[in-house]
Amino acid sequence: MTRTVLVPSSLARESRDKREATRKLGYVARAATVFRADRLVVYPDRSGERRWGGGFVRTVLAYAATPPYLRKEAWGRRDELEYVGVLPPLRAVTQTGSGSDDSGSLRQGIVTEVGSDGRVRVNCGLQHPISLPVPPETAVEQGERVTIRVSSRRPLRARIVDVPPPGLAVEESELDTTLSRPDAGVRIAASRHGEELTVARLGELAPRVRDGFTVAFGAPERGLPEILGVEPPRPDPRDDTDAVTDGDSRSHTEPDAQTRFDLWLNTVPNQGSDVVRTEEAMFATLACLNLE
C-alpha cells in the first residue's frame, strides 16, 4: 500500500515572513507523518508562487522529514533553514520488520567514511558511528543515505539492507507524473468544489483506499481547478446526486480533469471559515482516508 500526498510549490504563498512559512510547512509535514503517508511530493505551480518558491518548500519539508539525529550532518547550514527551530516535532514511529529474517527496527543512516576493506562507517543515531559491511554488489559513497536494520542493541547487531529508507520521502515531481505511477492507487483531488464527503460515501470509499491512494491539494487562494487550468466539477443534470465515481455516468469533472483524477472530494463540507488552509485540509482529508 502506498500513500502519496501532493502539494504545490506555491504552498507558502501567503506567508508574511520566513518564520511563518517554515511553521506552516512543518504542519504540512506533520499531517503527512501522523497519517502515515509514504511520499510527500511538491508539484510545480510557478505562476502561483510569491516570495517562497518550490526550492524553499521542498528543502524545509525534506529537513522536517529527516530524523533529528541526521539533520546536522545531512543539511548543515542553509538560508532556507534559518527558522527550522519552529518546526513541530514529527516523532515518526519506528518501522519494525516481521519474521526471523526481517526482525528489528529500520533506521536511516548516513555513510560517514568508506573503507578499503568493504566496510563503511555509518551514523544512524546510535551513540557512535558504526562499522558495517557493504552488501555484495552494492556500491555506497560517503554522504549517501542508507537503510540500517538494527536487530539488537546489546550486543549491537545491525546491517545495511536494500530497502527504501523508513519514514516520509519528500520529492519534487510534475503532478501528472505522480498521478500516472503504477502505485498511485485511487487518485483524489481535494477541493471545495468536489463531492461532499458523507458517512455513507466514506463507507464506500474506505475499502478502495486501503490498497493505496494519491491525494492532491491546492494552495491558499488558489485551488486545484485554478492551478490545473480546468473548470471546477459541476453536477450532471441527469443525476440528482453530487457523487463522483470512476468514469460512470455520474462523473461530472471536465474531460481534462477526469483523466487526472478518479474523484474530486470535499472533506470539509459546510465549512465555517471562508478559507480552509492547506494544512487544515490535509488533516481533515487524511484522517478520513485513514479510517478502515
Side-chain angles (χ1 to χ4, degrees):
M1 180 180 65
T2 300
R3 299 179 176 186
T4 300
V5 176
L6 283 153
V7 294
S9 60
S10 55
L11 183 59
R13 67 193 306 267
E14 93 292 8
S15 299
R16 294 170 297 178
D17 53 41
K18 191 185 295 186
R19 178 190 292 271
E20 181 180 322
T22 300
R23 190 190 304 276
K24 177 186 183 72
L25 295 173
Y27 284 109
V28 167
R30 182 154 176 81
T33 300
V34 166
F35 297 107
R36 293 183 177 271
D38 301 293
R39 286 194 299 268
L40 180 56
V41 180
V42 181
Y43 67 89
D45 176 32
R46 295 184 179 88
S47 60
E49 293 176 8
R50 291 177 179 168
R51 186 174 181 183
W52 317 112
F56 174 82
V57 170
R58 184 200 175 280
T59 297
V60 174
L61 289 176
Y63 179 92
T66 301
Y69 58 82
L70 292 182
R71 287 176 175 173
K72 182 177 180 180
E73 188 160 358
W75 293 98
R77 298 181 64 86
R78 299 193 183 194
D79 290 341
E80 301 98 318
L81 305 177
E82 182 178 3
Y83 291 107
V84 292
V86 304
L87 290 172
L90 301 189
R91 300 179 63 87
V93 176
T94 301
Q95 295 191 13
T96 302
S98 61
S100 59
D101 294 333
D102 290 326
S103 60
S105 61
L106 293 179
R107 300 176 67 86
Q108 287 191 43
I110 291 182
V111 176
T112 60
E113 182 181 344
V114 178
S116 58
D117 56 353
R119 300 182 70 88
V120 293
R121 292 185 67 81
V122 180
N123 174 9
C124 58
L126 301 178
Q127 189 172 5
H128 303 287
I130 58 177
S131 176
L132 296 172
V134 179
E137 301 180 359
T138 301
V140 297
E141 300 178 354
Q142 185 172 336
E144 183 177 346
R145 294 200 196 189
V146 293
T147 304
I148 306 297
R149 187 177 296 281
V150 180
S151 55
S152 172
R153 293 291 190 96
R154 295 183 181 179
L156 179 63
R157 295 191 181 95
R159 57 192 173 94
I160 299 174
V161 292
D162 186 19
V163 298
L168 180 67
V170 177
E171 307 169 4
E172 280 183 302
S173 179
E174 296 288 337
L175 185 141
D176 286 345
T177 300
T178 303
L179 292 175
S180 62
R181 288 176 59 113
D183 61 352
V186 181
R187 300 168 300 173
I188 301 169
S191 170
R192 68 185 301 172
H193 300 288
E195 168 198 357
E196 291 190 357
L197 185 62
T198 64
V199 174
R201 188 69 174 101
L202 181 58
E204 298 171 0
L205 184 60
R208 295 174 54 197
V209 299
R210 287 194 191 115
D211 293 331
F213 59 81
T214 297
V215 57
F217 296 89
E221 303 174 352
R222 189 171 169 82
L224 279 171
E226 183 177 358
I227 291 175
L228 300 178
V230 300
E231 291 295 322
R234 60 178 181 268
D236 189 323
R238 296 170 300 176
D239 191 354
D240 59 0
T241 72
D242 285 338
V244 181
T245 61
D246 292 343
D248 67 12
S249 61
R250 294 184 298 169
S251 182
H252 53 264
T253 61
E254 290 297 298
D256 188 46
Q258 189 175 349
T259 62
R260 287 182 168 98
F261 296 103
D262 298 311
L263 68 137
W264 291 67
L265 198 61
N266 178 3
T267 57
V268 193
N270 303 314
Q271 62 192 57
S273 173
D274 287 338
V275 177
V276 175
R277 297 174 179 175
T278 305
E279 62 272 28
E280 295 168 340
M282 286 181 64
F283 276 102
T285 304
L286 296 176
C288 294
L289 298 179
N290 195 54
L291 295 175
E292 296 184 359

